[in-house]
Each structure stands twice: as structure tokens, then as C-alpha cells.
Amino acid sequence: YDFDKTLSPGDMQEYGFLPGIGARPDTFWAECREFSLKHKADSVLAYMCMMLQKSRQAGVPITRERLRAHGAGVEFFPGVADWFDRINARGRALNLTVEHYIISSGLREIIEGSPIAGNFKAVFAASYCYGADGAAFWPSTAVNYTSKTQYLFRINKGILDVTNDVDLNNFTPEDRRSVPFPNMIYLGDGLTDVPCMKLTRLKGGHSVAVYPPGGDSRVADDLLFQDRVDYALEADYRAGGELERAVMTMIEKIGAADECARLHADHLDAAQARRDVYNSCETRF
């Protein structure tokens, strides 16, 4: 999953961080954009730099603890709170293990402090380096729309340590990869998710574009028309909703494909055993 505007209706900084330093969201994001254009800076690095500057000016340095505390106030779309338990239960009923991951341009510490953090096997997101005084002083990771695809391969290969680039780039046979691409479902909300959406689909997986319940669907619809996603659905995660039905159907499809592959392998083994018997008989006679 993406996070902002996919699981949560707003940008995570707007629920705690910006009110805490007395900043208006529209003014803050406009300044981030101005900074990015002036310095030809990556948009994620630009907002991270502006957060450092603004927090220092307000006398409220960024620390891990403060960011995680802000995560407690993040709001979510309807049904997100118990979504993961329902999806996991459906997977177990099909004898499948479901794993949930976040790939976000937002801040890892805020996500880790959110009420849903315990549902994720790994959270890939932007983060800071922290000094001896506990205050952030430099970005350690910045996740933009193209670098997001790196983390799909980390999930695919099971290389979840972001400092381990050697194993990530080494060749890994398809049958030894932790999560095959055809078993992946990617949920995002917009253009910053397009590389992940497209890659997941090209590799045989499924991609879903979500939009606010009752809100503007034009971006999600365009992604569907452009063949970048399989579905454009409201971000309504409640039980019995259209999004739940779609995702559970995809999980059932993944389970059926896995069962077909197992049957194929069993039949190959049986056919080989019969061939061995025939060859043995021909040798004797």
C-alpha cells in the first residue's frame, strides 16, 4: 500500500506535525514546492528539509518520539482499522499467507506510530538521521515515485533490510523469490504510484487505484483507461464493500493459480514416474 490518500484521507504531516508548529498546510506545501523549484530539489527531500527548518524555527526539534506521537492522530478511511484482520482471515481460509507492506513517500516514524502499524511486515518510507541529542539533522532515506519500485523488488526477493543492496541486485531464480510478482496486489491513489502500479501489472500482479468515498474519481479513472491499473475503486475498506470484494476476489485468483501450479507439478512428477517404469521395462525386455 501507499499510505497518504490511500489508507489515510490526508497527508500525514497535517494531523500532528503542522498543527504542532503552528503551520497552515496550504502554506507549508506551497513553500515546499517553491523550495523544490528554486533548488531543483527532489520533492520528498524538499519537504523533509522544510520540516527541519520549520521545526527549528518553532523551537520544536524533530525527534523519533515526536514523529511517532504524531502518528497516533492520523485518520483513516472507513474500514481500515479492521481491514487487515479480514483480509488475513480470507487468506487463511484459502491456505495462503497474506503479508502487508507500506511503500510511502511519507515519514516512516509517523507510520510506525499510527494505530495500524502492527499490521505491516515492513514499512518502506522516508526517514531521518538523528544526532546524539535525539534531534533529526539529515534525511537517511527519501522515497519518491520512481524509487518506490525498488521496494517491490525487495519484497519480491525478501531483502527487507534497506542497507542490503548486494543481495537485492544479485541474481535470484524466480522459484527462490519470497513473494512472486503475480501474487502481489498494489493499492495506491495517484500519479506518484504509477511506476509501482505499472510494474506490478507488467509482472503479472494486480494494481488498484483508490479515490475518496464520494469524491473526485478522475485520476483513478484515467489510470484505469490508460491500462495502468486493473480497478478504480472508492477507498471504502468496510466489510462487504466493493473494494473488499475486489481484493478478496484477487486473493482467490492467486490461490487458484497456486493450486493449478501445484497440480501441474504433481502431474509432471506422476508422468515422470510412469516414464521411468516404461523405460525400465524396455531395458529388461
Side-chain angles (χ1 to χ4, degrees):
Y1 310 82
D2 176 44
F3 193 89
D4 293 340
K5 299 182 176 68
T6 296
L7 296 172
S8 173
D11 291 309
M12 62 183 70
Q13 294 86 350
E14 298 175 9
Y15 293 103
F17 174 78
L18 293 180
I21 62 171
R24 289 172 51 91
D26 54 349
T27 302
F28 174 78
W29 295 118
E31 291 178 346
C32 290
R33 176 62 176 165
E34 182 180 349
F35 181 95
S36 177
L37 293 173
K38 178 180 179 180
H39 297 282
K40 298 188 183 302
D42 176 89
S43 60
V44 176
L45 290 171
Y47 92 67
M48 295 179 77
C49 181
M50 291 300 295
M51 284 181 67
L52 286 173
Q53 290 184 12
K54 295 293 184 182
S55 64
R56 289 168 183 159
Q57 291 169 6
V60 189
I62 292 174
T63 66
R64 283 193 182 92
E65 292 72 22
R66 285 198 177 103
L67 290 178
R68 286 174 177 161
H70 293 323
V74 173
E75 298 175 4
F76 296 97
F77 283 117
V80 167
D82 59 354
W83 163 266
F84 306 97
D85 289 339
R86 285 183 274 118
I87 297 301
N88 293 343
R90 186 60 187 140
R92 286 192 298 272
L94 296 168
N95 200 31
L96 302 173
T97 299
V98 180
E99 297 174 350
H100 305 274
Y101 297 85
I102 289 289
I103 305 177
S104 171
S105 294
L107 289 166
R108 186 180 68 218
E109 290 87 344
I110 293 180
I111 297 170
E112 289 174 341
S114 73
I116 64 172
N119 294 290
F120 304 111
K121 183 166 183 178
V123 173
F124 301 111
S127 59
Y128 288 104
C129 299
Y130 297 89
D133 60 354
F137 67 89
W138 193 259
S140 63
T141 305
V143 181
N144 65 25
Y145 62 99
T146 51
S147 65
K148 279 186 172 186
T149 57
Q150 169 197 158
Y151 301 101
L152 290 179
F153 284 101
R154 288 193 177 278
I155 294 166
N156 172 238
K157 293 185 173 184
I159 312 298
L160 305 185
D161 178 357
V162 297
T163 66
N164 185 350
D165 295 332
V166 174
D167 289 335
L168 176 65
N169 291 313
N170 280 340
F171 173 73
T172 305
E174 292 293 335
D175 61 355
R176 292 178 56 193
R177 299 193 179 198
S178 296
V179 183
F181 273 98
N183 291 11
M184 290 188 188
I185 302 171
Y186 185 90
L187 282 80
D189 70 278
L191 296 179
T192 58
D193 296 300
V194 165
C196 281
M197 291 170 165
K198 190 69 175 178
L199 177 62
T200 301
R201 290 200 74 222
L202 286 172
K203 291 283 192 177
H206 302 80
S207 293
V208 181
V210 299
Y211 57 92
D216 191 339
S217 68
R218 286 176 293 181
V219 171
D221 290 341
D222 284 345
L223 293 174
L224 182 61
F225 291 139
Q226 294 161 4
D227 206 29
R228 292 174 166 184
V229 298
D230 299 284
Y231 308 96
L233 297 164
E234 287 189 333
D236 185 343
Y237 293 81
R238 287 175 290 190
E242 190 174 6
L243 180 57
E244 183 190 71
R245 290 197 299 272
V247 169
M248 287 192 174
T249 300
M250 286 181 259
I251 291 173
E252 290 164 4
K253 178 183 176 183
I254 291 168
D258 184 68
E259 182 60 24
C260 286
R262 290 177 186 274
L263 285 171
H264 176 67
D266 290 345
H267 289 194
L268 278 176
D269 289 343
Q272 184 62 53
R274 292 193 296 270
R275 173 177 286 180
D276 292 343
V277 171
Y278 298 145
N279 290 341
S280 175
C281 291
E282 289 173 0
T283 300
R284 284 201 303 268
F285 297 104

